[in-house]
Amino acid sequence: MRRVNSILTIIMFILFTVHMVSGAFILLGIVPGGNEILAVVSFAFALILVIHALIGVKLTIDSLIACKRSGASYFKENRRFWAARISGFAIMLFVFSHMSSLGAKVTDGVPLLERFGVSELVLELLFVLSIAVHVILNVKPQLISLGFKGVKEYAIDILFVLSVLLLFAGAAFVVYYFRWL
């Protein structure tokens, strides 16, 4: 199950990157909304995200059962593991907010939002932050699980690229917010 989750994570990361960059271009007004390719990518991404989350929940439950059986949780020694789980659950909460605020109704190929105020902006920025935390916590273990050697160098490169993309997405949310004023 962990191997399947690793493969799904790679596919999800690629779809996430396409979704994030395309969505940022739409929020910035560079490309028009209602893009059918983005809709297909977003649907595929959401489907894989749900599977990834269900596997994460299953593995978390297994870990909790193992802790209970052993009588020792070793929480301090497993803080990274638990932080990754907590950030993953935070992402799931923010996904619903993201979908409700930006999964807009589309009329004649143009997305129509009812509102994008301060609360929506804050939630979207927290969403970006929770994704950053989750990926930072998981990129190195992911690379190890895929058998990469010299993981530190790959991890730093991936995190650099992701940081730039997440900054771009966060900036797009801020610009979009100011366009609503």
Side-chain angles (χ1 to χ4, degrees), residues 84-96:
R85 292 303 191 256
I86 292 166
S87 64
F89 286 117
I91 288 170
M92 293 312 298
L93 293 176
F94 289 122
V95 160
F96 294 114

Side-chain angles (χ1 to χ4, degrees), residues 1-2 22 64 101 115 118 133 162 180:
M1 187 177 307
R2 291 182 191 276
S22 300
L64 291 171
S101 69
R115 164 181 154 74
V118 174
V133 168
L162 181 69
W180 270 79

Side-chain angles (χ1 to χ4, degrees), residues 4-175:
V4 169
N5 204 27
S6 289
I7 293 166
L8 286 175
T9 300
I10 293 168
I11 297 166
M12 185 173 56
F13 189 76
I14 292 166
L15 293 172
F16 166 70
T17 302
V18 171
H19 174 85
M20 178 174 47
V21 171
S22 300
F25 282 144
I26 291 169
L27 291 176
L28 293 170
I30 295 170
V31 297
N35 186 330
E36 290 179 14
I37 294 172
L38 180 59
V40 170
V41 167
S42 298
F43 179 77
F45 172 53
L47 181 64
I48 292 173
L49 178 69
V50 167
I51 296 168
H52 176 75
L54 290 173
I55 291 171
V57 167
K58 166 81 169 92
L59 294 174
T60 302
I61 290 170
D62 291 348
S63 295
L64 291 171
I65 290 169
C67 287
K68 186 170 179 134
R69 280 189 194 146
S70 70
S73 68
Y74 300 105
F75 181 78
K76 188 174 181 180
E77 292 81 1
N78 293 310
R79 285 180 297 194
R80 180 187 199 108
F81 171 84
W82 290 110
R85 292 303 191 256
I86 292 166
S87 64
F89 286 117
I91 288 170
M92 293 312 298
L93 293 176
F94 289 122
V95 160
F96 294 114
S97 168
H98 179 73
M99 289 172 57
S100 69
S101 69
L102 294 175
K105 299 174 187 171
V106 177
T107 304
D108 297 327
V110 178
L112 300 172
L113 301 181
E114 293 179 15
R115 164 181 154 74
F116 194 81
V118 174
S119 59
E120 288 81 10
L121 175 63
V122 168
L123 288 171
E124 293 302 327
L125 293 176
L126 288 171
F127 184 38
V128 169
L129 181 63
S130 65
I131 292 167
V133 168
H134 192 69
V135 173
I136 287 167
L137 290 168
N138 286 297
V139 73
K140 193 173 177 182
Q142 174 70 15
L143 290 171
I144 291 169
S145 76
L146 295 169
F148 280 83
K149 306 288 184 213
V151 170
K152 186 175 181 181
E153 196 169 310
Y154 287 115
I156 290 170
D157 291 342
I158 291 168
L159 290 174
F160 176 77
V161 171
L162 181 69
S163 296
V164 170
L165 293 173
L166 287 170
L167 178 63
F168 178 58
F173 285 124
V174 171
V175 168

